[in-house]
Amino acid sequence: MNLLYITFGLPFPPDSGARLRDFNLIKRVASEHSVSVLSLLEFDDELQHATSLGAFCRHVDGVALKRSMSATFFMAVQSLLQRRPLATTPFYFNEFANKIYRLTDSEPFDIVQFEHSFLAPYRTSLSPAFKGKTVLSMHNIGESQYRSILDMTSGPGRIPARLKCWMMKAWEVKEANHFDQVISVSHCDRERLLSTGLTSPVSVIENGVDCQQLRPLPEPDEV
């Protein structure tokens, strides 16, 4: 199969939780299928590591996070008009959306997988030529994160925290229901998603450990 992964941050070097997960899963899938990676880059110099992914990926590209204050304000207004949580605004870029369109217009992908729910709005950037399946991999449940913030907030600050929690819950499930498949990182997250009204099928792919590189230390010699 021919797969396209849409990620936040280039999944190399694998030096953080999300990058570790993305890198190892992409590497394993690429051992049996054709894989391309398109990343919304956190830093300008990330693409210097593209050759490391290119060792097993067919195509690696990305767009760096760059936006002026005025453009950010415009995108925030657009997010509100589209009833999209403001929390997703920092991650939506027209240049990135256009790259997704062009890539899915020119390549016959069987699966396009989006890593993180805040990248879900880019699903609408897929070209009409794309006839494959879409997957949303939810590293976290946004509503749960904001609920934790709400539990730790007191006073007037609880009002915006409660609003963000409510908006994310309604929006996240609505977006996820547009995907052919949803992936959660735990059975607990899966049950939580299904309890919120999610109708798309949910599979669990738990975080793992590389047992070849990370082996238990030998028992110390008895003194």
Side-chain angles (χ1 to χ4, degrees):
M1 290 194 298
N2 192 14
L3 296 88
L4 171 62
Y5 282 84
I6 309 293
T7 69
F8 178 63
L10 197 75
F12 195 92
D15 55 4
S16 66
R19 292 175 195 265
L20 275 166
R21 178 181 172 86
D22 291 345
F23 171 77
N24 283 289
L25 289 178
I26 288 172
K27 185 177 181 180
R28 295 301 175 88
V29 171
S31 67
E32 298 185 18
H33 303 280
S34 175
V35 172
S36 296
V37 176
L38 183 59
S39 301
L40 184 58
L41 306 175
E42 299 179 80
F43 308 103
D44 292 337
D45 61 351
E46 284 187 75
L47 278 181
Q48 69 180 342
H49 300 295
T51 53
S52 298
L53 286 176
F56 51 86
C57 290
R58 177 183 178 187
H59 176 82
V60 181
D61 199 1
V63 171
L65 291 164
K66 286 184 179 179
R67 181 183 291 144
S68 65
M69 289 296 293
S70 58
T72 299
F73 175 77
F74 173 78
M75 287 303 301
V77 172
Q78 189 176 47
S79 294
L80 289 173
L81 292 175
Q82 296 175 351
R83 302 185 67 182
R84 193 169 72 229
L86 290 177
T88 67
T89 299
F91 308 103
Y92 195 87
F93 291 79
N94 289 326
E95 182 182 354
F96 194 57
N98 291 336
K99 281 233 177 193
I100 293 174
Y101 179 91
R102 291 194 297 270
L103 193 54
T104 55
D105 193 57
S106 60
E107 287 280 343
F109 292 106
D110 298 297
I111 295 174
V112 175
Q113 180 162 319
F114 297 78
E115 302 292 332
H116 295 291
S117 62
F118 55 75
L119 296 183
Y122 288 109
R123 182 190 58 81
T124 59
S125 301
L126 296 171
S127 167
F130 172 68
K131 304 301 181 184
K133 301 294 185 180
T134 56
V135 178
L136 178 62
S137 180
M138 299 181 68
H139 292 225
N140 301 288
I141 300 177
E143 181 263 340
S144 296
Q145 289 181 304
Y146 282 114
R147 186 169 297 281
S148 296
I149 294 174
L150 175 62
D151 292 340
M152 295 184 291
T153 305
S154 60
R158 288 182 60 82
I159 297 176
R162 187 179 296 278
L163 179 62
K164 289 179 181 179
C165 182
W166 176 80
M167 287 185 65
M168 183 59 77
K169 178 179 180 179
W171 175 85
E172 208 165 31
V173 173
K174 180 181 177 182
E175 283 293 318
N177 276 331
H178 289 299
F179 286 80
D180 296 299
Q181 181 74 42
V182 174
I183 294 174
S184 69
V185 300
S186 69
H187 291 281
C188 180
D189 279 1
R190 180 180 184 274
E191 294 305 314
R192 190 175 300 153
L193 287 168
L194 293 175
S195 70
T196 61
L198 182 65
T199 57
S200 295
V202 184
S203 297
V204 177
I205 300 180
E206 297 178 323
N207 294 321
V209 173
D210 189 334
C211 297
Q212 297 301 314
Q213 292 189 7
L214 302 175
R215 293 177 176 272
L217 293 173
E219 292 291 334
D221 295 333
E222 293 186 7
V223 178

